[in-house]
Amino acid sequence: MDLAFVLYPRMTALDLVGPYEVLAHQPGVTAHFVAETTEPVVTDAGLVIVPTTTFAALDRADVIVVPGSSDYEGVLAAGVVARWLREVHPKATWTTSVCTGSTLLADAGVLTGRPATTHWAVRELLGRLGAEVRSERVVRDGDVITAAGVSAGIDMALTLVGLIWGDRVAMASQLAIEYDPEPPYDAGSPESAPPEVVAAVLGKV
């Protein structure tokens, strides 16, 4: 089973690494890190990731994982990822996104008229791009699964493992990574965070 993890400049590392750690350890999986070129990609926080193949060379995958970016507007404007997604999505068994990666799926026409989620700060944009916006942490519509902001990529990946390999394997994967969050603050959504914290985050996105 070929998994394509999409790379591009200023992507958010955890959007990719979280799903990768869940999915890449499953049986029969071959992971590909695909980008426009094989030059190292620098994420928005400075982590450097080296692609293993290019958009031109990889024209299909069983599973596609599209991470988001703090520079989502710039990535949308470039159009490179969306062009590749238009080609490969029809051939994939599953197409997924994390955080603002859903805006790239929408720009490629994958989410037109379909329910999808994204980071809470860009829900309005996702709606303008043609999706039916939901606020759930993970939304599945047929062969497309979208996750909300950053850390929700782990939830998305566990959902996908359950669909492909079964619930027992998904539960074992959750236990293996000890995914049992107990955050020290109740500020993980705009509804629970103090208004001044929400305003501060909005000022950065």
Side-chain angles (χ1 to χ4, degrees), residues 29-191:
V29 161
T30 300
H32 305 274
F33 295 99
V34 57
E36 185 176 12
T37 74
T38 55
E39 292 297 311
V41 170
V42 182
T43 70
D44 54 10
L47 181 68
V48 178
I49 307 176
V50 180
T52 58
T53 188
T54 64
F55 293 142
L58 188 70
D59 64 357
R60 68 161 303 281
D62 298 292
V63 177
I64 301 166
V65 179
V66 183
S69 168
S70 57
D71 183 29
Y72 54 88
E73 292 178 333
V75 181
L76 283 170
V80 175
V81 176
R83 282 196 297 272
W84 182 75
L85 288 170
R86 291 186 193 102
E87 178 185 354
V88 297
H89 164 66
K91 308 172 192 176
T93 304
W94 299 98
T95 299
T96 73
S97 67
V98 182
C99 196
T100 61
S102 58
T103 64
L104 298 174
L105 295 186
D107 193 41
V110 174
L111 298 181
T112 302
R114 304 179 75 159
T117 190
T118 192
H119 190 283
W120 58 268
V122 297
R123 290 173 186 165
E124 183 179 344
L125 172 61
L126 185 63
R128 293 201 305 269
L129 291 170
E132 295 181 3
V133 181
R134 300 286 190 269
S135 60
E136 292 91 341
R137 194 160 168 84
V138 176
V139 173
R140 178 195 172 193
D141 183 60
D143 60 349
V144 176
I145 307 176
T146 53
V150 191
S151 63
I154 296 175
D155 301 63
M156 179 279 291
L158 289 169
T159 299
L160 187 58
V161 170
L163 290 166
I164 297 174
W165 289 280
D167 293 339
R168 188 175 297 274
V169 175
M171 287 188 285
S173 298
Q174 179 180 1
L175 179 59
I177 63 172
E178 201 172 350
Y179 184 54
D180 189 21
E182 296 180 4
Y185 303 102
D186 184 19
S189 75
E191 291 76 25

